[in-house]
Amino acid sequence: MIEYQEPFIKRIRRRYKLLRGLLGGEKAYTGPFYADIDITRRCNLRCVGCLYHSPLITSPNRLNPEIRDISIDFARRVARELTALGTHTIIIQGAGEPLLHPKLFDIIATMKEAGLFCRLLTNGTLLDEFMIKGLMEVGLDSLRVSIWANTPQEMKGNCLEEDTKNFNKIRHGLGLLNKVKTKRRIAFPKVELYQAVNRNNYQSISDLVELALEHNCSGVHFGHFVTRRGQLDELSLSPEQEKVCLQNLTKFRSQMDEQGIRHNIDLLNLRFKGRGRVWEQAACFTPWVHLHVLVDRTVKFCRSCDKALGHLDEKNLSEIWNGSLLRTFRRKVSTRKGLSCIAKECDCYACCFFVDNLRVERIYRWFRPFVELSIKAAALQTPKW
């Protein structure tokens, strides 16, 4: 989701430029609002829903094990080019566990020196005292911890083996992080918990909320379990189980609101109602607001889409951002018909940019008829060879 820590004037200016680009249909007049960068392909877990490390998923995202980590020089280059584009937020993650990168602190420091708001995604098993203090010293803004299981027994279904040690490590790390922040009287990094809700954990989802309350987390984000084009459907919730999940969360909603803990219960409800077709409620505006840089320097606009937009050994981010491939793609997915074609090739049924698309759709829908007329007029004037 787009971060909104930017000053108000910059935010308004960026949105104006976004709308200007949307009306033109192809060229972006502002850079990506935020970008993801994968920094490592190594991981210490084998979660069943992982596109990269689950032995139960067949995915084109299977990666060359010889390319493991990005370099500091490459991180510095990405930071510099994103800053030149006007990007506000960088999300450090990986086709693996970012905390395994030997130069993680240097990478975060590089991003912060470039003026980027920095969020880190982790499975939380490596949050020891050394790691926590290091993240604080380099000025990490936000830490999102992905938790697949709420009890030791659930680890067996979600991580392929019952690993009580890892279960306890996550909770110990969150407690230690809260303790150090309290001792130092600092608010950063803000901590959010994330859970992919599935048949193994939906009945104990209230435990995740209690964990967030216990450790003064700033947010709890729930995502319904999705896999690569329908694989592992047996772990997805049935309509009856979705109702139970929402009922359990509703009991804690007022408490989270009172404690100032952000959540996405309403969004989860929309996803459940959409039953895998949330992408039909809005066009895809992701290629206008987001870029994803992989470890091998390939650039995509979305993790769930296999379409490569370019390679950073051949072009810089600015050239890719308004290059012919991305401009053509923007025009195509600006209509429902074009998006429906793309959805057959990508995992749009479970779009993780759903909220951003809805926000833009609320404004863009008033201008769409005029844009589509412009597209038709341009097509008629194009010579047929």
Side-chain angles (χ1 to χ4, degrees):
M1 293 175 59
I2 299 173
E3 295 290 346
Y4 289 100
Q5 287 81 8
E6 285 184 296
F8 178 76
I9 297 299
K10 285 188 176 181
R11 206 158 65 225
I12 294 299
R13 188 181 299 122
R14 184 190 294 275
R15 291 176 179 177
Y16 165 76
K17 290 182 178 179
L18 172 62
L19 181 58
R20 181 186 175 192
L22 289 170
L23 294 178
E26 288 185 4
K27 182 179 178 181
Y29 293 93
T30 181
F33 284 43
Y34 59 124
D36 292 6
I37 182 169
D38 287 355
I39 66 170
T40 185
R41 289 180 171 175
R42 295 180 288 166
C43 194
N44 59 328
L45 296 182
R46 297 294 181 269
C47 301
V48 293
C50 178
L51 295 179
Y52 304 99
H53 297 281
S54 171
L56 305 181
I57 294 180
T58 302
S59 169
N61 281 322
R62 292 296 181 187
L63 303 170
N64 182 356
E66 296 180 2
I67 306 175
R68 305 180 72 185
D69 306 313
I70 68 168
S71 67
I72 294 298
D73 288 339
F74 180 64
R76 187 174 294 111
R77 174 192 167 183
V78 171
R80 182 175 64 250
E81 292 184 9
L82 286 175
T83 301
L85 283 169
T87 299
H88 175 255
T89 298
I90 184 74
I91 302 172
I92 298 176
Q93 49 181 310
E97 171 51 49
L99 300 192
L100 286 172
H101 196 294
K103 298 293 185 180
L104 173 64
F105 300 149
D106 294 330
I107 291 175
I108 296 174
T110 294
M111 300 300 175
K112 292 300 300 177
E113 288 169 3
L116 294 165
F117 179 94
C118 192
R119 165 177 283 176
L120 174 67
L121 275 56
T122 175
N123 62 37
T125 58
L126 304 176
L127 285 174
D128 56 18
E129 186 172 359
F130 170 79
M131 185 63 66
I132 289 170
K133 290 183 177 179
L135 294 176
M136 290 179 177
E137 288 171 3
V138 294
L140 180 68
D141 296 291
S142 174
L143 182 71
R144 175 171 285 186
V145 182
S146 179
I147 298 179
W148 283 84
N150 300 313
T151 67
Q153 293 73 28
E154 290 174 1
M155 293 290 283
K156 183 177 181 180
N158 285 314
C159 293
L160 302 178
E161 60 182 11
E162 186 175 348
D163 193 339
T164 304
K165 288 184 178 179
N166 277 332
F167 179 84
N168 292 331
K169 282 180 181 178
I170 297 171
R171 278 144 181 80
H172 175 74
L174 288 171
L176 183 59
L177 177 56
N178 184 37
K179 181 179 179 180
V180 175
K181 286 171 63 176
T182 301
K183 184 177 180 179
R184 295 190 179 189
R185 297 182 180 180
I186 58 176
F188 295 93
K190 297 285 187 181
V191 180
E192 292 185 353
L193 305 184
Y194 171 82
Q195 186 160 94
V197 184
N198 58 65
R199 295 197 180 193
N200 290 325
N201 60 30
Y202 80 97
Q203 290 181 306
S204 62
I205 198 169
S206 57
D207 291 348
L208 186 73
V209 178
E210 292 180 340
L211 185 67
L213 291 167
E214 178 184 355
H215 296 301
N216 296 315
C217 296
S218 61
V220 184
H221 187 88
F222 307 99
H224 71 303
F225 182 82
V226 294
T227 57
R228 184 83 184 177
R229 295 166 193 169
Q231 296 180 82
L232 295 182
D233 275 347
E234 65 273 13
L235 287 178
S236 297
L237 300 184
S238 67
E240 292 74 20
Q241 291 168 334
E242 290 172 355
K243 291 180 181 178
V244 172
C245 176
L246 288 172
Q247 287 171 357
N248 291 337
L249 288 177
T250 301
K251 297 176 183 178
F252 286 85
R253 180 172 189 145
S254 60
Q255 190 173 3
M256 285 191 287
D257 291 338
E258 290 174 1
Q259 295 293 325
I261 296 178
R262 297 191 303 171
H263 58 79
N264 68 330
I265 296 176
D266 291 334
L267 173 61
L268 186 64
N269 189 22
L270 283 175
R271 287 190 178 278
F272 285 161
K273 289 180 178 179
R275 298 299 299 167
R277 302 188 71 85
V278 295
W279 58 273
E280 293 182 339
Q281 300 183 39
C284 179
F285 302 104
T286 308
W288 294 93
V289 300
H290 177 261
L291 277 182
H292 180 192
V293 180
L294 281 67
V295 177
D296 65 0
R297 303 191 177 199
T298 299
V299 178
K300 302 197 301 183
F301 79 94
C302 172
R303 179 179 294 274
S304 298
C305 188
D306 297 327
K307 295 184 178 296
L309 303 172
H311 198 281
L312 289 176
D313 282 341
E314 302 168 358
K315 298 180 180 180
N316 60 39
L317 285 176
S318 179
E319 291 170 328
I320 294 174
W321 182 241
N322 268 317
S324 59
L325 286 176
L326 190 47
R327 291 176 68 156
T328 300
F329 197 81
R330 286 176 183 142
R331 185 171 289 280
K332 186 171 186 178
V333 298
S334 66
T335 65
R336 299 293 173 83
K337 182 179 179 180
L339 181 56
S340 64
C341 295
I342 295 300
K344 297 176 183 177
E345 306 172 26
C346 303
D347 287 336
C348 298
Y349 71 93
C351 177
C352 56
F353 300 100
F354 176 50
V355 174
D356 292 339
N357 288 336
L358 280 181
R359 287 171 176 164
V360 180
E361 177 70 25
R362 292 191 187 107
I363 304 299
Y364 181 69
R365 63 192 178 98
W366 300 105
F367 299 94
R368 180 176 283 112
F370 304 102
V371 175
E372 291 179 351
L373 283 174
S374 175
I375 293 174
K376 290 179 181 179
L380 290 174
Q381 294 175 9
T382 302
K384 296 183 179 180
W385 301 99

mmCIF file of all heavy atoms in Angstrom, residues 32 37 310 346:
data_model
loop_
_atom_site.group_PDB
_atom_site.id
_atom_site.type_symbol
_atom_site.label_atom_id
_atom_site.label_comp_id
_atom_site.label_asym_id
_atom_site.label_seq_id
_atom_site.Cartn_x
_atom_site.Cartn_y
_atom_site.Cartn_z
ATOM 1 N N PRO A 32 7.365 6.225 -9.538
ATOM 2 C CA PRO A 32 6.595 5.302 -8.691
ATOM 3 C C PRO A 32 6.465 5.855 -7.280
ATOM 4 O O PRO A 32 7.432 6.363 -6.718
ATOM 5 C CB PRO A 32 7.426 4.006 -8.724
ATOM 6 C CG PRO A 32 8.786 4.429 -9.161
ATOM 7 C CD PRO A 32 8.609 5.612 -10.045
ATOM 8 N N ILE A 37 12.231 -3.888 -3.392
ATOM 9 C CA ILE A 37 13.519 -4.396 -3.853
ATOM 10 C C ILE A 37 13.824 -5.698 -3.117
ATOM 11 O O ILE A 37 13.768 -5.762 -1.882
ATOM 12 C CB ILE A 37 14.663 -3.372 -3.643
ATOM 13 C CG1 ILE A 37 15.970 -3.934 -4.180
ATOM 14 C CG2 ILE A 37 14.785 -2.942 -2.192
ATOM 15 C CD1 ILE A 37 17.096 -2.923 -4.273
ATOM 16 N N GLY A 310 12.128 -4.760 -18.030
ATOM 17 C CA GLY A 310 13.479 -4.376 -18.420
ATOM 18 C C GLY A 310 14.493 -4.955 -17.461
ATOM 19 O O GLY A 310 14.144 -5.628 -16.478
ATOM 20 N N CYS A 346 -1.626 -13.493 -15.127
ATOM 21 C CA CYS A 346 -1.072 -13.105 -13.825
ATOM 22 C C CYS A 346 -2.009 -13.548 -12.707
ATOM 23 O O CYS A 346 -3.067 -14.104 -12.940
ATOM 24 C CB CYS A 346 -0.856 -11.600 -13.787
ATOM 25 S SG CYS A 346 0.216 -10.984 -15.109
#
